[in-house]
Amino acid sequence: MRASGHDGMIFSMRRSFPSPLASAQAPVAFTLPVRIYWEDTDAGGIVFYANYLKFFERARTEWLRGLGVGQQTLHERSGGMFVVSEAALKYHRPARLDDELAVTVRLQHTGQASLLLAQEALLCGQQLCCEASIRIGWIDAARMKPARIPPDVLRLVCP
């Protein structure tokens, strides 16, 4: 299923979910602790489904920062940036107010213009709440067109 966003960009929504758990041999590269606040919950008292995307974004940003890839500096230096080009999520159990999640990032595949990442939100670091397969693509920010990931960035994310 394809849908057009308000800015004309095309979004792809998959009907089947490619489980990141299937690639269990790839080690967890990064874990970010996330505490659940009132602002993260819905009227039912559980984490609003779209907020997992925010948690995953924060974890990816901190993963890259930990590798020495500050996104603002990278954008200013190279004229490019990472954008989410594909996202598939599967929800398993709810998280609630005051819970602490461990949000993980694991690199699954590296291409010349994109990275495929497996991400999980784990309650108490063990119980799976949400899993995602996220593809981030590199674009030339001025033209908003796909481009090759700079070699120095690839060397950092693929040791």
Side-chain angles (χ1 to χ4, degrees):
M1 170 186 241
R2 291 171 63 109
S4 179
H6 72 278
D7 59 359
M9 295 187 75
I10 301 294
F11 301 96
S12 172
M13 295 182 276
R14 294 184 178 177
R15 294 201 184 276
S16 62
F17 180 76
S19 175
L21 299 177
S23 299
Q25 68 273 18
V28 172
F30 184 81
T31 300
L32 177 72
V34 173
R35 176 72 63 191
I36 304 303
Y37 299 104
W38 281 116
E39 67 188 23
D40 300 319
T41 63
D42 63 14
I46 63 173
V47 171
F48 182 65
Y49 73 96
N51 285 336
Y52 287 99
L53 288 167
K54 293 179 182 182
F55 303 154
F56 293 146
E57 175 71 26
R58 291 176 199 159
R60 286 192 309 276
T61 298
E62 294 305 323
W63 169 64
L64 288 169
R65 187 185 322 276
L67 294 172
V69 182
Q71 293 193 63
Q72 183 65 34
T73 303
L74 185 60
H75 177 21
E76 291 167 358
R77 190 185 83 221
S78 70
M81 62 184 182
F82 283 112
V83 296
V84 173
S85 60
E86 186 177 326
L89 286 82
K90 185 172 183 181
Y91 301 92
H92 295 273
R93 70 175 35 87
R96 294 177 169 80
L97 179 67
D98 286 333
D99 283 347
E100 185 171 318
L101 299 177
V103 181
T104 66
V105 179
R106 183 175 55 245
L107 181 64
Q108 283 198 301
H109 178 75
T110 305
Q112 293 180 347
S114 70
L115 304 175
L116 182 62
L117 304 166
Q119 294 196 250
E120 298 176 337
L122 302 161
L123 185 59
C124 301
Q126 298 172 354
Q127 297 175 311
L128 184 61
C129 291
C130 183
E131 64 181 321
S133 177
I134 308 275
R135 181 175 303 279
I136 56 174
W138 184 260
I139 64 166
D140 175 317
R143 298 180 315 127
M144 297 301 284
K145 299 285 184 188
R148 289 179 185 243
I149 300 170
D152 56 328
V153 173
L154 278 177
R155 280 191 296 275
L156 290 171
V157 300
C158 304

